[in-house]
Amino acid sequence: MNPGEGDRAAILVEGPSDRRAIETLARLRGRDLRAEGVVVVPMGGVTNIGHFLERLGPRGRGLRLAGMCDAAEEHHVRRALERTGYGAALSRAEMARLGFHVCVVDLEDELIRALGTDRVERTLAAEGELASFRVLQKQPAQRDRELGRQLRRFLGCRSGRKARYAGLLVEALDPARPPEPLERVLAQV
């Protein structure tokens, strides 16, 4: 979604699953981000963040910015923040003070750890996909992996599944105790 004229803040995220998770948590907490002038912007990949920082940040539209990324992508965010004037040699804590938060591994890992694997499996069952997950678990490449990693693989192996389950798993959370990156990014805007 592109920011409109009345928007005051933007949350920059890698893609649709992050957007769905943030919007779902906001809704569960009684927040209407659009009415508040906050837009969640999927960037089509974290490597595009520099473009969005330039276009929407202090040098562009002047919106208050926040964001969330996977641990493996942290260096892209750090470099883009540095290139666009947010600071030099930023630590993770400094990035967080600027509003940019890092998932321990990725959003799916955060949600699985917050819910526990049993709750995630119950969500798969409720969606009629537990049998498909059991098939994935029997694959040679998956057999020796721990359950959380198998679940992450399952969520990411079909187009649209990550985004669909991002909302469903956030709905299954205790809204008062979401994963820290989701909590913090919403608190920034």
Side-chain angles (χ1 to χ4, degrees):
M1 178 176 289
N2 290 322
E5 284 301 313
D7 289 327
R8 63 170 185 77
I11 300 172
L12 306 177
V13 296
E14 186 174 349
S17 61
D18 302 306
R19 177 183 178 186
R20 175 94 37 97
I22 289 167
E23 290 176 341
T24 301
L25 182 60
R27 178 181 49 78
L28 291 173
R29 290 190 162 177
R31 291 185 64 182
D32 181 345
L33 295 179
R34 292 302 306 142
E36 295 175 25
V38 178
V39 62
V40 183
V41 180
M43 299 179 295
V46 76
T47 58
N48 295 321
I49 191 168
H51 164 76
F52 287 93
L53 291 170
E54 286 286 349
R55 194 175 116 218
L56 302 176
R59 298 178 184 174
R61 296 268 314 276
L63 301 179
R64 175 158 177 68
L65 298 179
M68 188 173 70
C69 69
D70 300 345
E73 311 299 340
E74 179 179 0
H75 66 284
H76 292 294
V77 175
R78 178 178 290 109
R79 283 197 318 248
L81 287 166
E82 291 171 354
R83 273 194 320 271
T84 55
Y86 284 83
L90 297 170
S91 67
R92 186 177 281 187
E94 290 166 327
M95 288 173 52
R97 278 193 291 282
L98 293 170
F100 291 85
H101 305 281
V102 180
C103 294
V104 170
V105 175
D106 56 21
L107 173 64
E108 293 73 30
D109 176 68
E110 293 281 354
L111 292 169
I112 292 165
R113 284 185 297 106
L115 285 168
T117 55
D118 289 344
R119 187 77 184 261
V120 175
E121 285 187 311
R122 285 196 305 269
T123 303
L124 295 179
E127 294 299 305
E129 290 201 284
L130 189 58
S132 293
F133 175 62
R134 297 292 184 234
V135 169
L136 176 130
Q137 287 183 296
K138 293 175 185 175
Q139 294 175 354
Q142 298 300 320
R143 286 183 198 143
D144 294 331
R145 285 189 170 175
E146 57 99 9
L147 183 55
R149 289 186 68 199
Q150 292 173 338
L151 287 164
R152 280 183 45 233
R153 175 69 181 125
F154 182 77
L155 294 174
C157 71
R158 180 174 292 157
S159 179
R161 186 181 277 154
K162 279 173 66 170
R164 184 169 130 237
Y165 277 98
L168 292 170
L169 295 177
V170 168
E171 286 176 352
L173 287 169
D174 174 351
R177 296 180 35 210
E180 193 172 309
L182 284 173
E183 174 79 36
R184 288 185 171 193
V185 80
L186 272 179
Q188 296 286 152
V189 296

